[in-house]
Amino acid sequence: MLVSGRGSNLQALLDATRDGAPGRIALVISDRKDAGGLDVAREAGIAAEWVSVDGKEADATLALLATHRIGLVVLAGYLKRVSGRVVAAFRGRIVNVHPALLPAFGGPGMYGRRVHEAVLKSGARLSGVTVHVVDEQYDHGPVLAPWPVPVRPGDNAESLAARVLAVEHQLLPAVVLACCARLGSGADLSPLDPSADAFSLSTTLPDFRHALIPA
Ligand code: GRF
């Protein structure tokens, strides 16, 4: 996993990858030496590496991914663009979680609070979470699984962010485990049908209907 922040998505994935899961977290890399996500990894006994992003990080990143025999790279709160050489080496095997319904409210500079402020400013009644395949552009690769999150009257960036993050913590693990199962069976990553797919997402996330009908 690649993180830049406190690692709440990393913790959610750790909680989901218990015995019998089709994958496990073997390495956490951060572009920030003081990232809380590195501490989360260390506490879980997982390799935790700081790789500063200075335009020459591809060699170090690829070496770490090879050493730890990584099959799937998960970006969770990672704020840098992944080097084109890493994207090429792991084409179709890097996923990212974005706190809005891409392609809306995504792209360069659209991260964290800025995303939710833009959603609120637009007047949208629905935001959401998107897990997508990473390519050479920010928030641009094929969407694997979107999930709606309602914007409620009186929301501010913090309240919307909290509601979206809670869904991220459920959607990302469900999608990542489904991706591990697919890669493990030799299949490529392809769009998932959250309602019908094997990981029965509909039983773990707020029902779509509730997302459309604010309480
Ligand atoms: C949140 O802003 C979330 O929307 C985005 O990354 C941040 C979470 O970071 N995907 P972390 O997982 O708590 O470090």
Side-chain angles (χ1 to χ4, degrees):
M1 289 186 75
L2 273 60
V3 304
S4 297
R6 60 199 171 104
S8 71
N9 275 299
L10 164 61
Q11 186 59 58
L13 202 51
L14 277 171
D15 296 342
T17 49
R18 295 290 179 224
D19 299 342
R24 65 178 179 85
I25 302 172
L27 169 64
V28 175
I29 294 175
S30 181
D31 60 305
R32 297 185 178 178
K33 200 171 192 176
D34 61 347
L38 291 178
D39 296 329
V40 171
R42 292 183 188 109
E43 284 158 26
I46 294 171
E49 300 284 349
W50 168 51
V51 176
S52 64
V53 174
D54 54 6
K56 298 189 293 291
E57 71 281 355
D59 288 336
T61 304
L62 289 168
L64 283 166
L65 295 174
T67 301
H68 292 276
R69 300 176 58 235
I70 300 302
L72 176 69
V73 179
V74 179
L75 277 58
Y78 188 66
L79 299 181
K80 300 291 188 186
R81 191 194 339 242
V82 178
S83 152
R85 283 176 52 208
V86 175
V87 171
F90 279 77
R91 180 79 57 192
R93 293 188 291 140
I94 308 176
V95 300
N96 177 50
V97 58
H98 183 74
L101 290 178
L102 292 176
F105 308 111
M110 289 304 281
Y111 56 85
R113 178 189 181 83
R114 296 178 182 184
V115 175
H116 308 297
E117 287 174 337
V119 169
L120 293 170
K121 187 176 179 187
S122 76
R125 296 288 306 281
L126 202 62
S127 187
V129 179
T130 308
V131 179
H132 66 97
V133 177
V134 170
D135 64 13
E136 287 80 358
Q137 299 176 55
Y138 282 112
D139 304 328
H140 177 262
V143 172
L144 290 178
W147 199 272
V149 175
V151 178
R152 299 214 191 286
D155 262 337
N156 57 25
E158 288 73 24
S159 58
L160 179 55
R163 192 174 310 121
V164 168
L165 189 60
V167 171
E168 284 184 52
H169 289 166
Q170 295 184 72
L171 184 68
L172 184 65
V175 172
V176 166
L177 292 180
C179 289
C180 289
R182 292 204 171 169
L183 291 174
S185 65
D188 291 338
L189 302 189
S190 56
L192 301 161
D193 176 355
S195 57
D197 210 282
F199 53 83
S200 65
L201 196 61
S202 56
T203 61
T204 60
L205 281 174
D207 181 274
F208 189 99
R209 285 189 299 280
H210 292 312
L212 288 174
I213 306 167

